[in-house]
Amino acid sequence: MTTQTITTREIAGKTVHVNEEGFMTDPSEWTREIAVELAKEEGIEELTPEHWKIIEFCRQDAAATGAAPTLRRISKQAGVPTKELFRLFPKGPAKKVAKIAGLGKPQGCV
Amino acid sequence: MSEDNRHLVFICSKGNLDMAYPALVMGWAALGNGLDVTIFFTFWGLDLIRKDRVDHLEIAPVANTSMKMSMMGVPGNLGIPNLLGVLPGMTAFATALMKKKMDELEVPPVREYLEMLVDGGAKLYACKMTVDMMGLKEEDFIDGVEAIVTASDFIDMTEGAQIIFI
C-alpha cells in the first residue's frame, strides 16, 4: 500500500483537496459547479440529465456505502445499460464517473 | 480503436471456470480505465464463447493443489485428496462452490461478463485453426464475437499492444 499525497487545488472558485491522480478526497467539498468543471477536464463538454442521474446515484451510493460504486453496480442499481455508461462517459467511465462525482476510485473490481 | 491509446490483448487458451475469469476481470477493468481491449479465444478457451458451453464451465478438484478444504470452512491446509476428487459429483461440487463464492462477491457469470465487455467496446475473436479442428462454425458462438481469424490476422491486429496469455 502506498500512502497518497494530498494537495489542494481550485475548481470552480472553490479550494478542494485532491490526490495525485486528481480525485477529490473529501466528498463534502464537492459542488455541482465543480462537477461541471471536472467533466470538461475529462472531455465531457456538457452534463446532460442522463449524466446527472448517474452522478447523483454515485454520490448517494458512496454516502451510504463509503465507497464509489463500480460500473456494474451503477448499471444494476441505477438501471443504466453498460453501453450507455460508455457512451455518456467515453474512454474510461469507471474513473471518469468517480472523478466527476468527487469520489475516490471505485474499490471493487467489477 | 483509436491510435496511440493503450491496447490490452488477452489470449484465452483455457476453458476451466477459474481460468475464464482473469481476462474478464482485467479486461473489464481496462475498459473502465479507457483502454482498448481485444480478447482472442483459442483451444479450450473457445469454450468461453461457445453457446453450448459458456454456461457449463467447470473446475475439477483433481490435481488442483491449490484447492484446499479451507474454502469449505475446514481450518488448516488440508487438501482434497485426488482419490476423492475422482468420485462422481466432485467436479460439480467444486464448480458449484466456486460459483457460489463468485456470486457472493457479485461477480457476474461468464456469459454476462462477456456481454458487459462487448457493450463496453471489447473486441472478441475466435482462433481459426482450433475452430476448424473442433469442427465449429460462426453460429456456434455467442453474439458479440466479431470474427474467426487466423494467427496472421491476430499478429496484424495486435501490433503495439500488450499481450497477456492465459
Side-chain angles (χ1 to χ4, degrees):
Chain A
M1 286 293 181
T2 51
T3 51
Q4 58 174 10
T5 317
I6 295 170
T7 53
T8 58
R9 63 166 288 200
E10 201 184 296
I11 317 171
K14 210 178 158 204
T15 303
V16 300
H17 293 85
V18 293
N19 68 15
E20 58 269 81
E21 286 185 276
F23 286 85
M24 289 176 63
T25 54
D26 182 354
S28 69
E29 293 175 341
W30 179 90
T31 64
R32 289 173 73 93
E33 290 72 34
I34 287 175
V36 171
E37 284 305 308
L38 288 173
K40 281 186 185 147
E41 289 176 15
E42 295 295 328
I44 299 164
E45 283 309 311
E46 193 198 344
L47 289 177
T48 64
E50 293 162 298
H51 289 100
W52 281 114
K53 178 186 164 189
I54 294 166
I55 294 166
E56 276 157 15
F57 167 78
C58 291
R59 297 278 310 169
Q60 287 163 9
D61 195 59
T65 66
T70 63
L71 284 183
R72 183 161 188 264
R73 188 170 167 83
I74 297 171
S75 179
K76 289 266 169 195
Q77 306 278 327
V80 184
T82 302
K83 271 187 190 167
E84 276 294 288
L85 279 174
F86 279 81
R87 184 182 66 80
L88 293 166
F89 299 91
K91 296 232 149 281
K95 273 188 170 179
K96 285 189 182 179
V97 172
K99 190 175 268 186
I100 294 166
L103 308 167
K105 272 198 280 191
Q107 296 296 308
C109 291
V110 197
Chain B
M1 202 154 293
S2 59
E3 290 295 315
D4 61 71
N5 195 33
R6 188 173 160 203
H7 182 195
L8 221 50
V9 176
F10 298 92
I11 302 173
C12 290
S13 71
K14 304 282 201 295
N16 298 336
L17 183 60
D18 53 333
M19 294 305 274
Y21 278 98
L24 305 179
V25 175
M26 286 188 281
W28 180 245
L31 289 173
N33 282 10
L35 277 66
D36 293 329
V37 173
T38 299
I39 312 181
F40 184 74
F41 299 89
T42 186
F43 271 89
W44 312 121
L46 286 174
D47 275 11
L48 275 65
I49 50 170
R50 278 177 65 167
K51 278 180 195 161
D52 61 340
R53 291 285 308 136
V54 61
D55 297 323
H56 305 284
L57 304 179
E58 295 177 298
I59 177 168
V62 175
N64 187 340
T65 53
S66 289
M67 190 177 247
K68 301 295 183 192
M69 297 280 209
S70 55
M71 272 191 87
M72 287 148 262
V74 180
N77 228 348
L78 206 60
I80 300 171
N82 283 335
L83 206 58
L84 283 183
V86 299
L87 292 176
M90 280 302 281
T91 296
F93 168 74
T95 302
L97 182 70
M98 182 168 164
K99 284 188 174 173
K100 182 170 164 276
K101 296 261 178 203
M102 299 293 246
D103 195 50
E104 283 166 6
L105 290 176
E106 295 184 18
V107 177
V110 175
R111 185 188 286 270
E112 188 186 337
Y113 228 136
L114 285 167
E115 282 168 11
M116 286 158 48
L117 280 151
V118 170
D119 286 349
K123 302 276 186 261
L124 313 184
Y125 297 98
C127 155
K128 180 161 176 23
M129 196 192 86
T130 39
V131 167
D132 290 347
M133 188 186 87
M134 295 178 185
L136 298 169
K137 295 187 198 67
E138 235 171 70
E139 55 265 33
D140 294 321
F141 298 115
I142 55 169
D143 292 341
V145 175
E146 298 256 326
I148 299 167
V149 300
T150 65
S152 173
D153 293 334
F154 173 77
I155 299 298
D156 285 341
M157 66 175 69
T158 57
E159 186 177 340
Q162 293 169 302
I163 303 182
I164 301 170
F165 185 90
I166 296 165

